[in-house]
Amino acid sequence: MSPVVPELRTPVMTLVEASWKDPNGISQTVTARMEDKSAGGACIRLKAPVRVGSKLNIQWRFDRFSGDCSIPKGTLS
Protein backbone atom coordinates (compact mmCIF):
# COMPACT_ATOMS: atom_id res chain seq x y z
CA MET A 1 0.00 0.00 0.00
CA SER A 2 1.41 3.40 -0.97
CA PRO A 3 1.50 6.26 1.56
CA VAL A 4 -1.10 9.01 1.26
CA VAL A 5 0.48 12.35 0.33
CA PRO A 6 -1.48 15.36 1.58
CA GLU A 7 -2.48 17.89 -1.05
CA LEU A 8 -0.85 21.33 -0.85
CA ARG A 9 -3.61 23.86 -0.20
CA THR A 10 -3.18 27.59 -0.79
CA PRO A 11 -5.04 29.92 1.59
CA VAL A 12 -7.03 32.57 -0.31
CA MET A 13 -9.86 33.80 2.01
CA THR A 14 -11.90 35.68 -0.59
CA LEU A 15 -15.54 36.17 -1.54
CA VAL A 16 -16.84 34.19 -4.52
CA GLU A 17 -20.14 33.67 -6.32
CA ALA A 18 -21.47 30.14 -5.86
CA SER A 19 -24.32 28.76 -7.97
CA TRP A 20 -26.11 25.40 -8.12
CA LYS A 21 -29.54 23.87 -8.72
CA ASP A 22 -31.59 22.98 -5.66
CA PRO A 23 -33.51 19.66 -5.35
CA ASN A 24 -36.46 21.27 -7.21
CA GLY A 25 -34.22 22.21 -10.16
CA ILE A 26 -34.29 25.92 -9.35
CA SER A 27 -30.99 27.77 -9.88
CA GLN A 28 -29.54 29.33 -6.72
CA THR A 29 -26.73 31.91 -6.54
CA VAL A 30 -25.17 33.27 -3.34
CA THR A 31 -22.04 35.00 -2.18
CA ALA A 32 -19.77 32.51 -0.41
CA ARG A 33 -16.32 32.47 1.17
CA MET A 34 -13.47 30.49 -0.39
CA GLU A 35 -10.97 29.71 2.35
CA ASP A 36 -8.39 27.71 0.43
CA LYS A 37 -7.82 25.92 -2.86
CA SER A 38 -5.61 23.27 -4.42
CA ALA A 39 -5.31 21.39 -7.70
CA GLY A 40 -7.94 18.93 -6.44
CA GLY A 41 -10.52 21.23 -4.89
CA ALA A 42 -11.39 24.19 -2.71
CA CYS A 43 -12.95 24.90 0.67
CA ILE A 44 -16.10 26.95 0.05
CA ARG A 45 -18.26 28.09 2.98
CA LEU A 46 -21.90 28.94 2.29
CA LYS A 47 -24.70 30.02 4.60
CA ALA A 48 -27.30 28.38 2.33
CA PRO A 49 -27.74 24.59 2.48
CA VAL A 50 -26.50 22.66 -0.57
CA ARG A 51 -27.25 18.97 -1.09
CA VAL A 52 -24.16 16.71 -1.08
CA GLY A 53 -23.41 15.69 -4.67
CA SER A 54 -24.78 18.92 -6.16
CA LYS A 55 -22.64 20.48 -8.88
CA LEU A 56 -21.36 23.84 -7.64
CA ASN A 57 -20.16 26.54 -10.02
CA ILE A 58 -17.68 28.96 -8.45
CA GLN A 59 -16.67 32.28 -9.94
CA TRP A 60 -14.33 34.96 -8.63
CA ARG A 61 -12.24 37.67 -10.19
CA PHE A 62 -9.28 35.39 -11.00
CA ASP A 63 -10.94 32.11 -11.98
CA ARG A 64 -14.06 30.08 -12.66
CA PHE A 65 -14.43 26.37 -11.85
CA SER A 66 -17.01 23.76 -10.92
CA GLY A 67 -17.12 20.65 -8.80
CA ASP A 68 -19.30 18.34 -6.75
CA CYS A 69 -20.38 19.35 -3.24
CA SER A 70 -18.93 17.12 -0.51
CA ILE A 71 -18.48 17.21 3.26
CA PRO A 72 -14.86 17.21 4.49
CA LYS A 73 -13.83 14.24 6.62
CA GLY A 74 -14.05 14.92 10.33
CA THR A 75 -16.65 17.72 10.14
CA LEU A 76 -19.66 15.60 11.14
CA SER A 77 -20.11 14.30 14.67
Side-chain angles (χ1 to χ4, degrees), residues 56-69:
L56 281 172
N57 296 299
I58 305 298
Q59 181 174 339
W60 62 310
R61 67 183 206 174
F62 297 117
D63 201 4
R64 169 185 273 175
F65 58 91
S66 63
D68 295 329
C69 177

Side-chain angles (χ1 to χ4, degrees), residues 5-67:
V5 179
E7 201 172 49
L8 180 62
R9 301 191 74 78
T10 304
V12 289
M13 203 57 77
T14 189
L15 294 178
V16 299
E17 182 179 273
S19 59
W20 71 98
K21 288 192 178 178
D22 69 15
N24 297 318
I26 300 170
S27 294
Q28 303 290 325
T29 301
V30 298
T31 300
R33 189 174 68 216
M34 180 166 52
E35 295 184 355
D36 61 48
K37 66 184 186 100
S38 68
C43 176
I44 309 292
R45 301 249 181 207
L46 299 100
K47 290 185 179 179
V50 179
R51 184 176 284 194
V52 172
S54 297
K55 182 177 181 175
L56 281 172
N57 296 299
I58 305 298
Q59 181 174 339
W60 62 310
R61 67 183 206 174
F62 297 117
D63 201 4
R64 169 185 273 175
F65 58 91
S66 63

